[in-house]
Amino acid sequence: MSDLFADDPRSTPPPPPQAPPKRSRALAITAFVVVIGFFGLTTFSSIYTDRLWYRSGGYPAVFSTLFWTKTGLFLVFAAVMALVVGANMYLAYRMRPMFRPNSPEQTNLDRYREVVTPIRMWLLIGVSALMGLFAGSSAVGQWRQYMLWRNGVPFGDEDAYFKQDIGFYVFDLPWYHFLLDFTMAVTIIAMLAAGVVHYLYGGVRLQATRDRLSGAAQAQLSFLLGVFVLVKAGDYWLDRFDLVNQTGRLITGMTYTDDHAVLPAKNILMGIAVICAVLFFVNVWRRTWMLPSVGLALLAVSAILLGLIWPGIVQQFQVKPSEADREAPYIKRNIDATRQAYDVSDAEVAPYTSSAKASSGQLAELDGQTSSTPLVDPQLVRQTFEQRQQVRAYYSVAPVLDVDRYEIGGQERALVLGVRELDQDGINAGDQNWSNLHTVYTHGNGIIAAYANQRPISNVTESIDIQWAEGQEAGQDALGEYESRVYFGELSPDYSVVGREEGTGQVELDLGNDAGGGSDVQDKTTTYDGLGGVDIGGFFNQLMYAVKFSEPNFLLSGRVNSQSKVLYNRTPRERLEKVAPWLTVDSDPYPAVVDGRILWILDGYTTTDRYPSSERESFRTMTDDSLQESVGLRALPTDEINYMRNSVKATVDAYDGTVQIYEWDADPILQAWKSAFPGTVLDKEEIPENLLDHLRYPEDLFKVQRYQFARYHVTDAGDFYQGNNRWAVPEDPNVAGHLQPPYRLFVDQPEAFGGAQNVFSLTSVFTPYNKNNLAAFVSVDSDASDPENYGKMRVLQLPDQQTPGPGLIANEFTSNSTIANELAQFNRSGGQTILGNLLTLPVKGGLIYVEPVYAVRAGSTSSYPILQYVLVSYGGEVGIGRTLGDALASVLGVDPNDPVEPEPDDKGNGKGGNGKGEPTGTVAEQIRAALAKADAAFAAADAALAKKDFATYGEQIDRAQRFVDQALTLAAQEPAKAGEKAAN
């Protein structure tokens, strides 16, 4: 290569260039050094602080694996690109013609040669390095594909067409595609670089009438073209396997046309490409373009005829006339693969009657079956939580609250809860300086929780306010004692500096745990002493974080001392995605109190868009609903997926940020990532028992499954093609343009599914496609502490599809004169009503719809929604009441306020009894008497619970249940007696 850097003896030496002034040269060099130094320092600080963060979080191996994998990919692929491009440029220069004929073209090129020749060494190095930089950067982005290829494991199932293990498509094929694409890119860039050098030095003469290429140029370019076409042949071979993942008009995957036209075309084009490559290689010695040109033309024409025209002919004249029959086997394989990939193949489907008729004898039965219905809307009560429990303006809760269940007083209770987090937007603008924002206002405090289906006993007639389970008032401590400081949450600041030296005062504001009543709670100060956070006591670490955050106060402020730590990457999703960047994280982290700590619980998914023959769809489209704020997709380069598993459950400690990841569904993709990052994921058996009680079925997974099941509940290919039984997730009747979200409810399963009572479930409904009637009710068991039933999807299908869907029910509520008049009276008094979640519940004999109505005082910034009414639809009737019981009574035509004296009595004395323990009166009177006694017992139980008298609470609950059972028995007897009278 020495002659590359030597002067060209055939070139006239150019006049020595005039040196720029020394001052200008010094300024240019200084500017260059400053720019390079700036980028170098910021890059180093980013890498160095990342290393510190992973070490502080207990995951140094994750950083090491990521760093060395990305570095290795960058260096290898950058080196390959740089060496190939540089070698071809060198060879082109080395094999330049000894003599160049005089021509206008060459005369014009002389001036460029005079400029290039003195700096040819630097140009070669610069061009090679630049191309290598681009190639290395591109390879770094493929680290996921590389690690999956290196650590992939078999799925154990084969695709229906090529009989390849599914792992080949998920783990191997993407990496093979990248290698071939990279090789083609290297070849093209090397060919262009060599062609430019040949042209510059006379090896390529475009204006010549003959011998336009020198022998050396022809040999080199022929070899590169041969390599390119040979690699293209390999690309055709891989394209065959891509047919099982190709998105088509009808389905994702192979179709009749693909199988009988496109696949043979790929095989033929692969053979033609191999022949073309051989002709180009032969041309290295024969030095004639006739045969390679013919081969290349044949490849181009064949690609058009076989790749475009022939499949169109087959589709139009063979498939289209009898498409249903031709495509049936391919549709069937798509159905089977989709149901398997989205884990809905085991969904249980049972017919369900919708012929409910409202009658007075059903009140007790319906009241019992709907007693756990959550009327507290997690979205609408946010303002109520903030106004009643906010305490300070700089505390807030998430826009949509969470629903969880806790055992309180021996009874499993549904709670709507949110974390009281720090919201720095609530700090006075004049107080928003660096010291306050990053060293004083550092954390939130505690959990706010309300019973999802309970109201205060003393607040029945005025408004149905919230019954608090956890808050700042006296007695609001149903969750027990726990570490209440929240340094890591959904609303946490970007970073905080914590820690103090001995002998100095505490500066972090803290609410504390003292219950004193609302705004009377006194502020305290505290100091963070958790394990999380990066030590920045030394000057070098302070310098690195000053560069990272572009903040000189890390070096100048007295609040940064030898004991200081910096907390950042503080949202639960952000921390989990940092520790496990290969996960797709659920969009809804939720808090739970476990063993005296607030833990954020997150669900992590393994996803791919490469599962053969499974239907591919946009993740955003499938998970969109009226409550969706963000999409959890991260680990895929596209928004589309066709496989999903809830592979891990994870927790983030709200106090010290500790991340724990537990295996949940050990699918092959998770096994590959566990092999790539050993020690990151803990075994399923290590999940603490108290944590297991709060794990639940994830919402994003259920949304994806219900979206696909709406179409893929049909398993017959002919019916699927006709689309006559296609379902859809209905639009939220209160939020146009968004799907109705799923709701967490306690569901009584029908006898077809075992008849289990109060099953904690995630629920939704289906409507016929483009219609508003109800097609099915779907629920999935969400109790993770019951592994036998957890994750079971149960579908109640309405064969007649005549039951109104959510949209129609919402219209009935709106158009009902009784409801309209009741709400209008409140609106006329200066209030505003807001509709809550429209819930659907299966009960004996049909489905019941329940919708809470909230009221807020209009024109006031301090007002908040209060639950005022409940709307109910059942058996074709609608009703409104101040409580769910009142609304049920309205629907059934029963007066819940009929006097029943005396009450209560366990033995049948009083109205509805004869004083001897024997019931008297009509069945309806006996039902009302039993319900009145049950209501009184429930009220006594609520009062006992408020006083923490759990023994009395349990006794009253048992007593109330006996009365409910008595009323249910009577309700069952009334239709039988009516039948006897009709017979007589």
Side-chain angles (χ1 to χ4, degrees):
M1 190 180 285
S2 59
D3 61 338
L4 176 66
F5 306 124
D7 292 335
D8 187 354
R10 295 162 293 177
S11 301
T12 303
Q18 293 184 353
K22 292 184 178 180
R23 186 171 183 179
S24 300
R25 182 187 302 174
L27 289 175
I29 294 174
T30 302
F32 177 78
V33 171
V34 169
V35 171
I36 295 299
F38 172 78
F39 283 109
L41 182 61
T42 54
T43 301
F44 176 78
S45 70
S46 177
I47 296 173
Y48 180 76
T49 54
D50 257 5
R51 176 175 174 270
L52 293 179
W53 187 90
Y54 279 102
R55 288 181 61 186
S56 70
Y59 292 93
V62 174
F63 173 82
S64 300
T65 301
L66 286 173
F67 177 78
W68 291 115
T69 298
K70 293 180 179 181
T71 301
L73 289 172
F74 178 86
L75 294 177
V76 169
F77 285 89
V80 170
M81 175 67 83
L83 289 175
V84 172
V85 172
N88 277 277
M89 291 178 66
Y90 166 74
L91 289 174
Y93 178 80
R94 176 71 183 270
M95 295 184 297
R96 65 196 183 281
M98 298 299 295
F99 301 99
R100 292 185 291 271
N102 291 325
S103 67
E105 180 184 22
Q106 295 303 313
T107 301
N108 290 331
L109 289 173
D110 282 339
R111 72 179 85 175
Y112 296 105
R113 284 191 284 266
E114 290 176 357
V115 175
V116 169
T117 299
I119 57 172
R120 58 185 181 273
M121 176 187 70
W122 297 109
L123 282 176
L124 183 145
I125 295 174
V127 171
S128 301
L130 184 62
M131 294 299 102
L133 181 64
F134 289 147
S137 301
S138 174
V140 167
Q142 301 297 317
W143 68 268
R144 290 185 178 89
Q145 285 76 7
Y146 167 74
M147 298 194 79
L148 285 176
W149 166 75
R150 186 176 179 183
N151 298 280
V153 298
F155 270 67
D157 295 319
E158 295 179 346
D159 77 287
Y161 301 100
F162 299 103
K163 306 305 178 184
Q164 294 281 345
D165 186 88
I166 293 174
F168 168 77
Y169 298 94
V170 175
F171 302 131
D172 301 335
L173 192 57
W175 181 246
Y176 295 157
H177 267 302
F178 171 72
L179 291 180
L180 287 182
D181 292 343
F182 176 79
T183 304
M184 286 193 287
V186 170
T187 306
I188 291 174
I189 294 174
M191 188 162 44
L192 292 175
V196 170
V197 175
H198 278 299
Y199 177 71
L200 184 63
Y201 286 96
V204 176
R205 298 182 291 275
L206 299 179
Q207 297 180 7
T209 56
R210 56 188 301 273
D211 295 334
R212 293 184 176 181
L213 275 72
S214 66
Q218 185 168 330
Q220 184 177 9
L221 296 179
S222 295
F223 177 81
L224 292 173
L225 283 170
V227 171
F228 176 80
V229 178
L230 184 62
V231 175
K232 184 60 181 176
D235 193 46
Y236 281 129
W237 183 76
L238 291 183
D239 284 346
R240 298 161 60 250
F241 300 106
D242 288 334
L243 293 176
V244 300
N245 278 306
Q246 180 175 273
T247 300
R249 176 187 59 85
L250 191 62
I251 57 173
T252 296
M254 190 87 75
T255 62
Y256 182 92
T257 300
D258 295 330
D259 196 10
H260 293 82
V262 178
L263 181 58
K266 296 289 185 183
N267 291 328
I268 295 172
L269 290 172
M270 179 177 62
I272 296 175
V274 171
I275 295 173
C276 286
V278 172
L279 293 176
F280 276 115
F281 290 140
V282 171
N283 196 51
V284 173
W285 292 277
R286 288 181 57 90
R287 310 284 174 89
T288 174
W289 289 101
M290 178 61 68
L291 290 179
S293 300
V294 171
L296 197 60
L298 176 62
L299 179 61
V301 172
S302 300
I304 296 173
L305 291 177
L306 298 177
L308 297 176
I309 297 178
W310 175 242
I313 293 174
V314 171
Q315 179 68 28
Q316 183 68 29
F317 296 103
Q318 283 190 267
V319 177
K320 196 170 182 180
S322 55
E323 188 175 41
D325 298 329
R326 296 284 190 186
E327 300 291 8
Y330 304 96
I331 292 174
K332 178 59 177 175
R333 292 175 185 131
N334 169 261
I335 292 173
D336 294 341
T338 301
R339 289 169 63 90
Q340 178 66 29
Y342 290 102
D343 199 20
V344 296
S345 57
D346 295 329
E348 302 177 20
V349 181
Y352 191 70
T353 179
S354 61
S355 57
K357 299 296 183 182
S359 65
S360 61
Q362 295 175 295
L363 178 59
E365 186 175 17
L366 291 178
D367 195 43
Q369 293 183 38
T370 60
S371 61
S372 60
T373 303
L375 299 178
V376 178
D377 190 313
Q379 185 178 29
L380 294 183
V381 298
R382 176 181 185 265
Q383 293 180 345
T384 307
F385 271 52
E386 289 195 339
Q387 291 289 341
R388 296 288 302 276
Q389 298 285 350
Q390 184 182 25
V391 183
R392 299 287 184 268
Y394 46 81
Y395 289 122
S396 185
V397 293
V400 180
L401 302 176
D402 295 289
V403 178
D404 199 3
R405 58 208 168 90
Y406 288 81
E407 184 173 316
I408 300 175
Q411 186 86 1
E412 190 173 73
R413 307 297 299 272
L415 300 183
V416 174
L417 69 167
V419 175
R420 186 187 291 107
E421 296 197 54
L422 176 68
D423 181 7
Q424 292 188 338
D425 291 337
I427 302 174
N428 291 332
D431 296 330
Q432 292 189 13
N433 52 63
W434 185 88
S435 180
N436 281 340
L437 292 177
H438 297 288
T439 68
V440 176
Y441 297 93
T442 58
H443 63 281
N445 196 283
I447 278 184
I448 310 170
Y451 294 103
N453 58 339
Q454 182 175 323
R455 58 174 174 78
I457 303 165
S458 61
N459 196 7
V460 178
T461 58
E462 294 298 325
S463 62
I464 311 169
D465 205 351
I466 286 177
Q467 176 71 40
W468 299 104
E470 184 74 19
Q472 285 298 124
E473 304 290 339
Q476 297 175 0
D477 54 357
L479 303 185
E481 295 185 3
Y482 58 91
E483 172 58 69
S484 63
R485 290 173 290 177
V486 179
Y487 284 87
F488 297 87
E490 295 179 281
L491 305 178
S492 295
D494 53 351
Y495 72 90
S496 293
V497 178
V498 297
R500 66 186 180 95
E501 294 178 322
E502 291 187 12
T504 60
Q506 300 183 131
V507 297
E508 298 178 50
L509 279 182
D510 184 55
L511 188 61
N513 284 325
D514 294 343
S519 60
D520 294 334
V521 175
Q522 298 297 314
D523 287 330
K524 298 181 179 180
T525 55
T526 187
T527 298
Y528 173 82
D529 58 357
L531 297 176
V534 180
D535 293 324
I536 53 171
F539 172 79
F540 187 74
N541 285 2
Q542 294 172 7
L543 174 62
M544 290 297 98
Y545 280 97
V547 174
K548 177 180 178 63
F549 292 113
S550 301
E551 180 51 66
N553 279 310
F554 277 93
L555 298 171
L556 303 177
S557 175
R559 293 284 174 87
V560 183
N561 53 69
S562 61
Q563 301 299 317
S564 290
K565 289 183 176 182
V566 60
L567 309 178
Y568 63 105
N569 294 334
R570 299 172 70 176
T571 68
R573 279 185 60 190
E574 190 178 18
R575 293 186 74 80
L576 180 56
E577 289 170 347
K578 193 83 171 174
V579 171
W582 39 271
L583 278 177
T584 296
V585 181
D586 192 271
S587 59
D588 183 32
Y590 61 97
V593 176
V594 180
D595 296 330
R597 311 280 287 197
I598 299 176
L599 298 181
W600 292 99
I601 301 176
L602 304 96
D603 288 279
Y605 310 114
T606 44
T607 58
T608 183
D609 60 348
R610 306 293 301 181
Y611 195 95
S613 299
S614 174
E615 191 68 16
R616 186 183 294 159
E617 186 56 83
S618 163
F619 186 83
R620 183 181 298 274
T621 298
M622 291 189 287
T623 58
D624 172 70
D625 62 37
S626 58
L627 299 182
Q628 186 75 25
E629 292 186 317
S630 60
V631 176
L633 194 66
R634 173 186 174 91
L636 287 179
T638 68
D639 179 45
E640 294 185 340
I641 64 170
N642 68 352
Y643 171 93
M644 187 174 185
R645 286 293 186 274
N646 181 203
S647 53
V648 304
K649 302 284 188 179
T651 63
V652 176
D653 193 298
Y655 178 62
D656 62 18
T658 300
V659 179
Q660 298 282 9
I661 306 174
Y662 301 97
E663 177 184 295
W664 189 252
D665 186 351
D667 74 317
I669 299 180
L670 176 62
Q671 297 304 317
W673 286 120
K674 287 181 66 177
S675 177
F677 295 94
T680 303
V681 180
L682 302 176
D683 293 336
K684 188 175 184 178
E685 293 71 25
E686 298 185 50
I687 299 178
E689 184 177 351
N690 291 337
L691 172 61
L692 193 64
D693 292 336
H694 294 280
L695 299 183
R696 65 191 191 188
Y697 202 79
E699 290 189 13
D700 281 354
L701 176 60
F702 181 67
K703 293 179 196 176
V704 168
Q705 289 177 322
R706 70 170 182 173
Y707 185 95
Q708 291 296 343
F709 193 79
R711 189 180 183 191
Y712 284 90
H713 72 280
V714 179
T715 56
D716 181 78
D719 292 340
F720 185 94
Y721 177 82
Q722 295 171 11
N724 54 8
N725 194 24
R726 185 175 179 179
W727 297 343
V729 180
E731 187 177 271
D732 191 324
N734 299 325
V735 184
H738 295 279
L739 301 181
Q740 189 178 38
Y743 299 117
R744 296 194 183 274
L745 306 172
F746 286 95
V747 176
D748 292 344
Q749 299 290 0
E751 293 299 329
F753 296 144
Q757 303 294 306
N758 284 330
V759 179
F760 187 57
S761 306
L762 191 57
T763 67
S764 185
V765 296
F766 293 115
T767 58
Y769 189 67
N770 283 335
K771 294 184 179 180
N772 293 320
N773 295 327
L774 200 65
F777 173 88
V778 58
S779 65
V780 60
D781 291 8
S782 296
D783 187 357
S785 62
D786 181 12
E788 183 178 349
N789 293 308
Y790 173 85
K792 282 188 177 180
M793 184 175 291
R794 311 177 195 271
V795 181
L796 300 176
Q797 184 173 0
L798 283 67
D800 56 4
Q801 296 187 356
Q802 296 301 312
T803 302
L808 294 177
I809 293 297
N811 290 336
E812 289 183 13
F813 286 154
T814 303
S815 58
N816 182 269
S817 58
T818 302
I819 294 176
N821 291 335
E822 188 73 24
L823 299 183
Q825 292 178 10
F826 185 84
N827 292 332
R828 284 195 295 268
S829 64
Q832 176 186 356
T833 54
I834 305 172
L835 297 176
N837 295 330
L838 181 56
L839 308 176
T840 308
L841 285 170
V843 294
K844 290 183 179 180
L847 292 168
I848 188 169
Y849 287 94
V850 179
E851 184 171 33
V853 179
Y854 289 81
V856 62
R857 189 169 66 254
S860 173
T861 58
S862 61
S863 61
Y864 54 87
I866 296 176
L867 181 60
Q868 283 284 359
Y869 302 100
V870 180
L871 309 181
V872 169
S873 173
Y874 176 73
E877 302 292 336
V878 297
I880 183 173
R882 302 300 290 266
T883 67
L884 180 55
D886 290 347
L888 286 172
S890 173
V891 166
L892 300 177
V894 175
D895 186 358
N897 298 316
D898 278 354
V900 181
E901 297 291 346
E903 61 173 347
D905 191 325
D906 291 1
K907 299 181 179 180
N909 297 315
K911 187 172 182 179
N914 60 5
K916 300 180 182 179
E918 300 175 357
T920 61
T922 66
V923 173
E925 289 175 341
Q926 295 176 41
I927 291 175
R928 283 196 293 271
L931 286 178
K933 298 170 186 177
D935 284 342
F938 277 126
D942 287 343
L945 182 63
K947 298 177 181 178
K948 297 185 178 181
D949 185 354
F950 298 126
T952 303
Y953 171 80
E955 293 174 0
Q956 293 296 331
I957 287 293
D958 292 339
R959 190 163 176 264
Q961 189 62 51
R962 288 198 302 273
F963 289 129
V964 171
D965 293 340
Q966 178 183 343
L968 287 172
T969 302
L970 291 169
Q973 292 174 358
E974 185 179 32
K977 292 183 178 180
E980 292 175 2
K981 291 180 180 179
N984 294 330

